[in-house]
């Protein structure tokens, strides 16, 4: 992994940081010497994740719901009381979609998913932004998806939420660019996370078919996403804002009516 010495001692808040892509990002930033606050709905998992980041004493754990303004404001107040600054925000909290036909989808489930992914991203960013703007420096990194760009049937709520995150990334990135606060997003392809593995095991995703559709011929890992997030958090990305960066092995770039990868599937 690349080294970014300027991140040493800076402070990050990561929602959904106790598992999957959020946890990978937390490990990556902590490895750069950052002090990381892990926020997650699962209090025990957040505590374990923060403790596993290292003995620096600067890592924190918060529990609560990103869709609750009270919970979010509590995290930000506690983090500022401890460290006095917030340099990086990673919005990675999320819940799975139903994978049901549109006419069978439950409206309450639709609303909850949009509330967590889209409204949650908005609430946490809105709560952190005043501190970053006052500092004159900050990097917000949102988690979008190929589902926010491509049409994926049976995934209305998830796709709509991720598309919304992509546009919110652009609007906030433009709003705050002149004041030193950057807002970008990562759009992962099909990554071999524990969640994706569960979908494969349940027959909801076909791993071989996905690999054929991906020019790189393989599924990505959480580490691929974490490294992209670490780059966007660093000063090396100082002139990048309002961008949704695909980390997908070429999945979104492929447009031909044929397999993108014709090699062996080991």
């Amino acid at each position: 992994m690349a080294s970014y010495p300027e991140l040493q001692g800076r402070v990050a808040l990561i929602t959904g940081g106790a598992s999957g892509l959020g946890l990978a990002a937390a490990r990556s930033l902590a490895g750069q010497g950052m002090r990381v606050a892990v926020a997650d709905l699962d209090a025990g998992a957040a505590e374990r994740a923060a403790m596993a980041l290292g003995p620096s004493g600067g890592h924190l754990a918060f529990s609560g719901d990103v869709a609750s303004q009270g919970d979010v404001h509590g995290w930000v107040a506690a983090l500022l009381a401890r460290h006095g600054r917030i340099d990086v925000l990673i919005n990675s909290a999320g819940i799975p979609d139903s994978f049901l036909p549109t006419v069978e989808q439950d409206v309450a489930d639709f609303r909850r998913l949009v509330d967590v992914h889209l409204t949650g991203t908005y609430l946490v960013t809105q709560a952190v932004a005043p501190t970053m703007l006052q500092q004159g420096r900050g990097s917000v990194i949102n988690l979008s998806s190929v589902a926010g760009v491509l049409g994926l049937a049976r995934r209305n709520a998830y796709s709509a939420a991720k598309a919304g995150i992509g546009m919110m990334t652009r609007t906030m990135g433009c709003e705050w660019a002149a004041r030193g606060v950057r807002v970008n997003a990562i759009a992962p392809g099909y990554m071999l996370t524990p969640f994706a593995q569960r979908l494969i095991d349940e027959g909801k995703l076909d791993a071989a078919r996905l690999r054929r559709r991906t020019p790189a011929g393989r599924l990505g890992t959480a580490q691929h996403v974490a490294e992209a997030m670490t780059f966007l958090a660093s000063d090396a990305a100082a002139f990048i804002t309002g961008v949704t960066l695909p980390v997908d092995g070429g999945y979104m770039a492929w447009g031909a009516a044929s397999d993108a990868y014709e090699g062996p599937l080991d």
Side-chain angles (χ1 to χ4, degrees):
M1 176 183 287
S3 178
Y4 304 100
E6 73 277 9
L7 294 179
Q8 179 79 34
R10 292 184 186 175
V11 178
L13 172 62
I14 303 179
T15 70
S19 63
L21 302 181
L23 179 57
R27 289 169 174 162
S28 180
L29 294 184
Q32 299 286 341
M34 292 192 69
R35 295 168 290 180
V36 177
V38 174
D40 203 276
L41 194 61
D42 186 331
E47 289 283 355
R48 290 189 294 273
M51 289 180 63
L53 293 179
S56 70
H59 306 310
L60 301 173
F62 301 130
S63 63
D65 188 346
V66 292
S68 165
Q69 192 170 35
D71 287 351
V72 169
H73 283 193
W75 302 338
V76 173
L79 186 53
L80 290 175
R82 178 67 176 272
H83 293 307
R85 61 185 297 125
I86 304 175
D87 301 285
V88 174
L89 167 63
I90 295 181
N91 287 303
S92 64
I95 56 176
D97 207 348
S98 62
F99 288 84
L100 292 173
T102 298
V103 295
E104 297 177 18
Q105 292 172 11
D106 183 80
V107 174
D109 290 343
F110 183 99
R111 286 173 174 156
R112 174 60 180 164
L113 192 143
V114 171
D115 212 23
V116 170
H117 286 266
L118 182 57
T119 307
T121 296
Y122 168 80
L123 286 176
V124 184
T125 305
Q126 185 190 50
V128 168
T131 295
M132 290 185 171
L133 292 168
Q134 186 176 29
Q135 293 169 179
R137 174 193 294 274
S139 175
V140 177
I141 303 166
N142 298 323
L143 194 63
S144 184
S145 168
V146 294
V149 181
L150 304 176
L152 301 186
R154 301 182 175 221
R155 306 199 68 187
N156 288 319
Y158 187 84
S159 296
K162 293 303 188 182
I165 287 171
M167 185 51 68
M168 195 159 60
T169 295
R170 298 175 80 171
T171 58
M172 290 178 176
C174 292
E175 183 179 355
W176 298 329
R179 300 180 64 183
V181 177
R182 298 178 290 110
V183 184
N184 293 292
I186 298 289
Y190 289 94
M191 320 304 286
L192 197 54
T193 62
F195 172 63
Q197 186 62 58
R198 192 178 80 203
L199 295 179
I200 292 169
D201 294 341
E202 293 173 352
K204 294 179 178 178
L205 290 178
D206 184 332
R209 192 171 183 181
L210 290 174
R211 291 178 62 186
R212 289 291 185 204
R213 172 62 179 76
T214 303
R218 65 187 188 277
L219 302 184
T221 67
Q223 189 60 29
H224 289 129
V225 175
E227 291 183 7
M229 288 181 169
T230 304
F231 163 70
L232 289 175
S234 77
D235 291 355
F239 207 58
I240 300 174
T241 195
V243 167
T244 296
L245 174 65
V247 180
D248 63 356
Y251 191 95
M252 283 192 283
W254 183 256
S258 62
D259 287 343
Y261 173 73
E262 298 179 351
L265 296 177
D266 49 13

